[in-house]
Amino acid sequence: MIETKRLGRTIDGTAILNDITVAFSKPGMYGIIGPNGAGKTTLLRLLSGVDRPTEGEVLLDGKPISAIARKQLARTVAVVQQGGLPPVGYSVRDTVALGRYPYQGWFGDEKEDAGPLIDEALLRMELMHLSDRRLDSLSGGERQRVALAQMMVQNPRVMLLDEPTTYLDIGFQLQLLDIVLEWQRERGMIVIAVLHDLNLASLYCDEMIVMKNGMMYASGSPKQIVTSELVRSVYGAEADVIEHPDGGAPQIVLRRSGAKRSTPQWMDHEVKQTIMG
Amino acid sequence: MSAVYGGASLLLLIVSVGFCVSIGSAGLSVSDVWGILLHEATGISIGGPWPSSDVAIVIQLRLSRVVLALLVGACLAAAGAGFQGVLRNPLADPYTLGVASGSSVGAAFIILFGFQSLIGLWTIPIVAFATGAATLFAVFALARSKGVMAIETLILAGVIVQSFFGAFVSFMVSMSQGVVNQILYWLMGSLALRSWDHTYMLLPFALIGIPIMIYHSHRLNLFAYGERHAAHLGVHVERTKLIVLVGATLLTAAAVSVSGVIGFVGLVVPHLLRLLVGSDYRRLVPLSAIGGGIFVLWADTLARTALSPREIQLGVVTAIIGAPFFALLLYRHKSGRGGIKT
């Protein structure tokens, strides 16, 4: 379980993140949504333990994340960054194998042979035929799959994804989230993903967290979160909400007229009341 | 695979040493050279006896110079691989970063003004390390913009610092009692007139610095994916960076202390090896150390025999090979063909 206590981050006197207290206690898919500059990536980076908060703390299984050794942390928490892996000169197989780093000795040796584990990840991500190709010869979507395969062999309990579907076309977006969901259910992981697309988030997430201006604005199930009011007050856009034909997840349909950029203060308050109770 | 590469490189090393120790301007025959070496190493005499001047030529001049060339090359190439890995910059090496020039300021100051024994045998390399590290710091400060160091900007900063310190060293030589020839020595490096003492001075730094580079080589593989991603995979990024930068600077400073500035070794050797054995730093770092030794050994043999009995500066030889190579790397990097990437 991973949780934050009054988490804040201030850079050069500007508060980017403010007073975030949230607990991801059960296995499941958690989506973080919100407009650009709301602090989503900042929150994810603090959860990863690589960036340090200026206020509050992140706890992993009750222990301050800053007190956990890097390798030990990497066995529990894995991250796919925005934009995925860079186009480097290493092969797909070598890249995926690096996911074993936290389990290895100083020269990359491991007690048990990680070969079968790597094969399984390559197979699952449909990368077997590309395994000797160099990353700099792959498309963005393929590199994103390599990043997931690397994460798979890292075998974490907590998975942090920062906009994993950006730059992918819709076919790959669905494929990627299908794989993540299936894998999450199989291993009972906590998956926390920053998602840009509200409809995708609603379709795949068990719980959603809405960020606005560096604060947590709302949280709850997709049914509680995805409403016309919320879209208006958080994004300043007009939208209708309809039910998805499979399973009834709320889906937004944007309306063309009157995309308001600012919202009156009373609206914020009222929406918060309805949503957070 | 690794065993094959290791074996092949060691074989090449032995052949190179055997060849380079056998040729020179003194006109000794190959059988005399090997007879002397065998006699000195094991006490067994085949042929001989040899006049003591011949023994001195082989042991004190040739063998010591061969060993020193190997050590200098190993230090510079291992440092180059380390710099490239930790900075994720294919153009980085002790010379292009200006660290070699920075180290030469400290070393030249100590030697020219006679402070050699200030803190014992290792005064020169330690002072060279201090000025080399300060230089690296200055180059970073010059190159960094909003927390990012662009690949070309870093090298540009290195070149600026390098030309400044080159001028500064020349100025110091002019101010001291030294001869003008010494300027050439500091700017273009040489292994002429060195002795076993120089080998003893360099050896401990090589024995500490190169294993440090090898120990961190696996982590350098992860650095290639970006510092943040390396951290996500469990690397202690700041610690690794500091150790590798300090280690590479130490190796550079020690090499410069005994040989002056010899350019491009740390650039040419790791990149040629990348073409042969791939980008895995676990192979690249140890093989660079061996390959760097071989490269400098051959360059030095060329330097002392090509215009025999006159010598060419060793740095001239490595620059003639290295500078076009550097240009090729820059071109490839700019055109984004990605032939060589770190």
Side-chain angles (χ1 to χ4, degrees):
Chain A
M1 118 142 187
I2 187 163
E3 62 189 314
T4 72
K5 290 248 156 73
R6 309 209 58 140
L7 202 62
R9 185 163 164 84
T10 307
I11 296 176
D12 298 332
T14 315
I16 301 174
L17 209 65
N18 224 328
D19 199 19
I20 306 277
T21 300
V22 60
F24 306 90
S25 44
K26 293 196 306 268
M29 293 275 280
Y30 297 87
I32 302 176
I33 62 163
N36 293 332
K40 306 183 295 280
T41 296
T42 307
L43 175 60
L44 210 69
R45 286 181 170 180
L46 292 177
L47 286 172
S48 79
V50 173
D51 286 356
R52 298 268 182 251
T54 44
E55 293 112 48
E57 58 180 350
V58 177
L59 301 174
L60 182 66
D61 299 322
K63 241 176 116 177
I65 208 161
S66 54
I68 303 171
R70 275 248 64 95
K71 264 194 175 178
Q72 203 193 332
L73 185 59
R75 287 180 213 145
T76 311
V77 180
V79 186
V80 171
Q81 291 181 80
Q82 209 167 349
L85 293 171
V88 292
Y90 291 95
S91 76
V92 169
R93 195 183 177 86
D94 288 348
T95 303
V96 173
L98 287 178
R100 294 306 290 171
Y101 179 79
Y103 302 92
Q104 290 169 339
W106 69 274
F107 210 62
D109 47 310
E110 202 174 337
K111 281 199 194 92
E112 281 167 49
D113 180 23
L117 218 63
I118 295 162
D119 284 339
E120 192 203 323
L122 288 172
L123 217 57
R124 190 119 173 225
M125 290 296 152
E126 294 167 31
L127 290 166
M128 223 23 154
H129 62 294
L130 298 174
S131 68
D132 292 328
R133 286 267 296 277
R134 287 162 45 139
L135 248 56
D136 52 12
S137 72
L138 302 183
S139 72
E142 287 165 338
R143 284 209 307 274
Q144 195 68 286
R145 266 158 46 211
V146 176
L148 278 181
Q150 188 186 58
M151 197 182 229
M152 233 172 211
V153 304
Q154 202 178 337
N155 196 18
R157 273 191 294 119
V158 178
M159 218 167 124
L160 306 175
L161 307 171
D162 194 355
E163 298 197 5
T165 57
T166 320
Y167 312 123
L168 300 184
D169 41 38
I170 46 174
F172 281 127
Q173 292 186 10
L174 291 175
Q175 186 195 24
L176 185 131
L177 287 173
D178 280 337
I179 292 168
V180 171
L181 183 66
E182 186 187 283
W183 192 27
Q184 185 278 320
R185 297 293 191 244
E186 203 178 286
R187 302 212 189 168
M189 286 184 299
I190 294 172
V191 176
I192 306 168
V194 169
L195 292 168
H196 224 81
D197 189 313
L198 264 178
N199 286 341
L200 278 179
S202 167
L203 209 51
Y204 283 92
C205 294
D206 302 309
E207 291 237 20
M208 291 168 77
I209 288 156
V210 187
M211 306 270 303
K212 190 186 175 186
N213 297 332
M215 313 248 260
M216 202 165 100
Y217 184 80
S219 72
S221 69
K223 280 222 162 75
Q224 289 168 303
I225 294 294
V226 181
T227 60
S228 302
E229 291 83 358
L230 182 121
V231 173
R232 189 183 306 121
S233 59
V234 173
Y235 292 93
E238 292 298 326
D240 283 342
V241 174
I242 57 171
E243 280 193 358
H244 195 285
D246 315 331
Q251 299 284 293
I252 63 161
V253 181
L254 295 174
R255 309 190 72 167
R256 224 162 64 174
S257 60
K260 285 185 224 154
R261 280 285 150 219
S262 62
T263 328
Q265 215 44 46
W266 61 267
M267 182 83 86
D268 271 335
H269 184 69
E270 193 172 281
V271 171
K272 214 181 271 177
Q273 290 289 315
T274 9
I275 291 164
M276 303 190 75
Chain B
M1 273 308 252
S2 294
V4 174
Y5 291 129
S9 62
L10 285 177
L11 191 69
L12 187 60
L13 179 76
I14 292 164
V15 171
S16 300
V17 169
F19 191 83
C20 293
V21 84
S22 303
I23 56 172
S25 53
L28 290 166
S29 73
V30 175
S31 66
D32 282 340
V33 170
W34 285 93
I36 290 168
L37 284 175
L38 187 70
H39 180 77
E40 290 296 315
T42 62
I44 303 165
S45 291
I46 302 171
W50 299 273
S52 61
S53 62
D54 285 1
V55 175
I57 285 171
V58 172
I59 302 299
Q60 300 300 330
L61 295 181
R62 287 217 198 135
L63 186 63
S64 83
R65 187 158 174 170
V66 163
V67 171
L68 195 60
L70 291 178
L71 282 175
V72 166
C75 289
L76 291 175
F83 279 132
Q84 284 150 31
V86 84
L87 298 173
R88 287 181 293 131
N89 188 331
L91 304 179
D93 105 315
Y95 183 65
T96 56
L97 285 173
V99 178
S101 300
S103 300
S104 76
V105 170
F109 177 78
I110 294 293
I111 291 172
L112 293 171
F113 296 97
F115 296 119
Q116 272 96 327
S117 49
L118 202 64
I119 37 175
L121 180 60
W122 292 299
T123 308
I124 301 169
I126 286 169
V127 173
F129 169 72
T131 55
T135 305
L136 188 64
F137 197 74
V139 169
F140 284 174
L142 257 178
R144 191 178 285 127
S145 159
K146 291 174 188 148
V148 184
M149 287 191 289
I151 285 175
E152 292 87 353
T153 314
L154 183 63
I155 302 307
L156 187 62
V159 169
I160 293 168
V161 168
Q162 181 189 314
S163 61
F164 176 73
F165 283 146
F168 195 69
V169 167
S170 303
F171 177 69
M172 280 200 299
V173 174
S174 310
M175 292 295 289
S176 74
Q177 308 300 319
V179 279
V180 178
N181 211 6
Q182 284 236 3
I183 295 179
L184 210 56
Y185 164 75
W186 282 112
L187 298 185
M188 277 295 179
S190 169
L191 293 176
L193 306 175
R194 309 279 94 182
S195 67
W196 283 106
D197 289 342
H198 292 94
T199 304
Y200 300 143
M201 191 163 91
L202 179 54
L203 191 63
F205 293 94
L207 288 181
I208 295 166
I210 294 171
I212 287 177
M213 292 295 127
I214 294 173
Y215 180 78
H216 285 89
S217 57
H218 190 28
R219 270 159 231 157
L220 295 181
N221 286 334
L222 285 94
F223 262 76
Y225 298 86
E227 288 182 15
R228 189 176 282 278
H229 194 64
H232 291 151
L233 287 170
V235 178
H236 213 296
V237 170
E238 291 306 319
R239 191 164 67 197
T240 304
K241 222 163 117 177
L242 184 70
I243 293 171
V244 173
L245 287 177
V246 166
T249 304
L250 198 64
L251 285 170
T252 305
V256 168
S257 298
V258 300
S259 69
V261 176
I262 300 168
F264 300 110
V265 178
L267 201 71
V268 172
V269 175
H271 279 301
L272 280 180
L273 284 166
R274 271 191 191 93
L275 294 177
L276 289 172
V277 306
S279 308
D280 189 338
Y281 278 93
R282 285 175 293 177
R283 270 185 209 149
L284 209 53
V285 174
L287 288 179
S288 288
I290 298 171
I294 296 171
F295 178 73
V296 171
L297 176 57
W298 280 103
D300 185 51
T301 304
L302 201 63
R304 68 186 168 88
T305 57
L307 296 181
S308 175
R310 284 171 60 201
E311 282 218 12
I312 311 168
Q313 295 286 318
L314 177 52
V316 171
V317 177
T318 60
I320 285 173
I321 301 166
F325 192 87
F326 182 58
L328 179 72
L329 283 174
L330 185 67
Y331 174 75
R332 284 208 181 194
H333 172 71
K334 282 197 83 73
S335 63
R337 262 195 254 157
I340 298 165
K341 274 189 181 160
T342 42

